[in-house]
């Protein structure tokens, strides 16, 4: 399935939003794995490892299940307004 | 509603301290505490020309509202609270955040305003990219956000 | 000068929060903390219509300057500080005092602003006469001023 | 000698400024005594007892000496801005 991920902070170098292929019924953890290639290309794999994923209303745990077509956000460590 | 929370595109509408004070004013309120955050010309020894604020607006606004509600639980339901954070590219001297708390008494107004800024700084999905005088740009290092559970 | 202190005739020139913020702003300052005191419609259970502020201006302004200097000793010579107190008859909602502190960092701005208001409240030669909705007027009971020695 | 005293707070009922006769070389304490009659007339003797006197630049102790023609101020307990 395809999960859309909005980019924030340093991930903006990848664009405003990317589409990531994740296995059917995959979790946030799987989404993180699927993003590794993108991150490596931009030298962001260390940042990916410490980033969180969120829906439009909450930060998600690693076990949260992704749905096809869902729009999530990647949240690198925040720098405090 | 006695709270106002907002992420605002700086280009279209700069933040405004007077607007914040006017929102938290009420006939029973004798005290207003306001905080304004402004882009500095220096950070950790580097000369700064501008700062771009990236904000995940829906989650940020929801977080602002939660923090306001916590402050009202601590210092009174009658607190009037205003939170606005800028999004976009700001020059040195531009306002990045305006907070205000209005209360019948000053202790509560100060405490609530201070609580808002400290919590917003640590809990909000906001990222700063500094643009330096030497032409370089850097995303400021931060700390991982926590979920609520 | 990085401090401004003033007793102002309210009739001729109302206090202005924006003026205070603009005074404490400086390119190196990332944080501004502002306090506004406003005439409330209620005090100790009595409905208030207006308040007359009587101020011994020369001594009050000198005291404001001393308090500012103490704050700079505590939280940094680079603090920019603004103090203005109204004199005259104010209606409910009118601003009686505006304080602002500008600093590179927010902890100092908050601490200084809070220090200013607490010290000014206890040490200034200022008297309040409340005018009530029932037509009565009363000078608010206070506490004796101390000399400095 | 005559000492001028500016009125503040509740003492405003006596006017903006009054002239008080004090013995030559008298102190603030003597000035306070000389003001008692004015205060009694306006039911302010209790307030006079807890008020301070000040020059244009400092609060004065009871022993401070008054000068002829000097303008002092009477400061009733302050109510805190």
């Amino acid at each position: 399935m395809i999960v859309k991920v909005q980019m924030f902070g340093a991930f903006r170098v990848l664009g405003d939003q990317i589409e990531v292929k994740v296995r059917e019924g995959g979790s946030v953890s799987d989404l993180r794995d699927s993003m590794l290639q993108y991150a490596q290309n931009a030298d962001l794999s260390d940042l990916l490892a410490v980033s969180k994923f969120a829906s439009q209303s909450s930060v998600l745990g690693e076990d949260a299940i992704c749905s096809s077509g869902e729009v999530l956000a990647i949240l690198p460590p925040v720098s405090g307004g | 509603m006695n709270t106002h929370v907002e992420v605002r595109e700086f280009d279209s509408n700069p933040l405004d301290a007077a607007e914040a004070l006017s929102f938290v004013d009420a006939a029973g309120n004798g005290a207003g505490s306001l905080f304004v955050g402004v882009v500095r010309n220096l950070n950790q020894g580097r000369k700064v020309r501008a700062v771009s604020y990236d904000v995940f607006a829906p989650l940020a606004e929801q977080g602002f509202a939660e923090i306001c509600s916590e402050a009202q639980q601590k210092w009174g339901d009658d607190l009037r609270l205003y939170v606005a954070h800028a999004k976009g590219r700001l020059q040195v001297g531009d306002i990045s955040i305006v907070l205000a708390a209005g209360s019948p008494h000053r202790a509560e107004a100060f405490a609530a305003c201070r609580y808002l800024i400290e919590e917003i700084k640590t809990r909000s999905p906001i990222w700063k990219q500094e643009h330096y005088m030497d032409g370089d740009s850097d995303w400021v290092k931060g700390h991982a956000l926590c979920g609520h559970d």
Side-chain angles (χ1 to χ4, degrees), chain A, chain B:
Chain A
M1 63 179 174
I2 296 294
V3 174
K4 295 170 181 168
V5 183
Q6 291 175 290
M7 301 288 108
F8 288 99
F11 284 99
R12 290 273 186 187
V13 292
L14 300 177
D16 287 344
Q17 183 170 302
I18 64 175
E19 302 199 343
V20 184
K21 214 168 174 171
V22 184
R23 70 171 176 81
E24 214 59 42
S27 68
V28 162
S29 181
D30 296 315
L31 168 61
R32 188 186 301 274
D33 291 344
S34 304
M35 272 191 61
L36 193 56
Q37 192 56 56
Y38 292 94
Q40 277 173 348
N41 292 346
D43 204 17
L44 291 172
S45 31
D46 287 353
L47 197 64
L48 176 62
V50 296
S51 294
K52 302 277 181 175
F53 289 85
S55 70
Q56 301 300 302
S57 62
S58 62
V59 179
L60 301 172
E62 289 301 293
D63 298 337
I65 301 305
C66 302
S67 315
S68 177
E70 193 172 19
V71 180
L72 300 181
I74 184 163
L75 312 181
V78 299
S79 46
Chain B
M1 282 293 290
N2 55 3
T3 63
H4 173 89
V5 301
E6 178 182 11
V7 172
R8 190 185 285 190
E9 290 287 345
F10 190 80
D11 280 352
S12 55
N13 203 0
L15 301 188
D16 181 358
E19 179 185 312
L21 278 176
S22 142
F23 182 84
V24 302
D25 191 20
N29 283 352
S33 177
L34 181 97
F35 178 78
V36 174
V38 173
V39 176
R40 294 172 59 203
N41 61 359
L42 201 71
N43 190 28
Q44 302 190 319
R46 296 187 74 174
K47 289 185 183 164
V48 173
R49 184 173 47 176
V51 173
S52 295
Y53 286 88
D54 195 9
V55 184
F56 183 28
L59 203 59
E61 290 180 347
Q62 182 186 302
F64 295 166
E66 284 166 11
I67 292 165
C68 286
S69 156
E70 291 161 13
Q72 287 168 330
Q73 281 164 38
K74 286 172 189 283
W75 294 289
D77 286 342
D78 54 355
L79 275 178
R80 291 184 64 83
L81 301 169
Y82 178 101
V83 175
H85 200 294
K87 179 180 174 181
R89 187 180 171 117
L90 279 66
Q91 306 300 311
V92 167
D94 285 343
I95 297 179
S96 58
I97 186 168
V98 175
L99 304 174
S103 162
H105 301 290
R106 68 182 182 279
E108 287 77 5
F110 269 104
C113 193
R114 188 72 201 267
Y115 182 78
L116 294 183
I117 184 64
E118 297 305 330
E119 295 299 310
I120 287 170
K121 285 268 178 186
T122 52
R123 290 162 53 180
S124 299
I126 297 175
W127 300 270
K128 270 161 76 167
Q129 185 184 30
E130 291 181 337
H131 307 287
Y132 304 104
M133 292 303 267
D134 61 17
D136 224 9
S137 284
D138 252 348
W139 289 96
V140 177
K141 300 278 172 292
H143 63 271
L145 269 184
C146 301
H148 268 264
D149 37 12

